[in-house]
Amino acid sequence: MINPPTGQPQAQTLVNNQNAGYVCRPVTSREEAVASQVDFLGPGTIMPDFSHGMIYFKRFNPNSGGAEFFDFSVQRPPQAQPQPQVASSAPAYDPREDIEGLRNEFSVLRGEMDEMKKAGQKRTGGKAAEQ
C-alpha cells in the first residue's frame, strides 16, 4: 500500500444538497401549482404554465407558518396604436413665412436705429459738444 506524500493536504469534497437559487417546475394547471409541495428552507418555487400563459410562485412564510401563493399572467407588449390621419385639407406648417416676417421686422428696427444714430449726431454738433 502506497501512502500519499506527507505535507500535501488531501482535497475534501463537501456535498451540499441545498440549491442556492429558485426551483423551477413546469405545471399544467393552477390546481397542480397549488397542490405542489414547497421547500421550507428554500427561497421558493417558480412554476410556469405555458399552456395557459401563467407563472405561479409558491414559498413558505416562516412568520405565518403557511405557504404563500402568487400568480402572474404573461401579457404581450402593447402594440403601437395607429396614428390618426391628419386631414389633408389642413395646410402643413411652413417656417419660411415666419422667417420672412422676422426679416421684415429686423429691417424695420435697423432702419429706426440708423435714424436714431443720425439724429444723435446732429445734436452733438451744438455748444455742448464743443466744450
Side-chain angles (χ1 to χ4, degrees):
M1 180 172 200
I2 300 176
N3 290 332
T6 58
Q8 290 184 355
Q10 294 180 350
Q12 295 181 356
T13 307
L14 297 176
V15 178
N16 188 0
N17 290 335
Q18 282 186 330
N19 291 335
Y22 292 93
V23 176
C24 183
R25 179 175 174 257
V27 294
T28 58
S29 67
R30 185 177 197 280
E31 291 76 22
E32 183 182 352
V34 170
S36 69
Q37 294 180 358
V38 64
D39 184 16
F40 292 117
L41 300 175
T45 304
I46 298 172
M47 296 169 275
D49 182 359
F50 297 113
S51 60
H52 295 105
M54 298 293 290
I55 298 173
Y56 305 108
F57 178 69
K58 191 173 184 180
R59 69 177 175 191
F60 177 72
N61 184 349
N63 296 330
S64 66
E68 295 178 333
F69 186 81
F70 303 94
D71 54 347
F72 306 94
S73 70
V74 178
Q75 298 178 355
R76 302 208 186 281
Q79 295 182 3
Q81 298 292 332
Q83 296 294 333
Q85 295 287 336
V86 178
S88 60
S89 62
Y93 174 70
D94 189 11
R96 286 183 247 168
E97 294 175 8
D98 290 340
I99 293 172
E100 191 61 36
L102 289 172
R103 281 185 185 160
N104 292 337
E105 287 181 35
F106 183 74
S107 297
V108 170
L109 291 173
R110 180 179 265 174
E112 290 176 5
M113 192 170 78
D114 288 341
E115 288 177 18
M116 288 193 297
K117 283 183 182 178
K118 289 178 187 177
Q121 289 175 355
K122 290 179 184 177
R123 288 187 193 156
T124 59
K127 289 184 180 180
E130 293 174 4
Q131 293 175 354

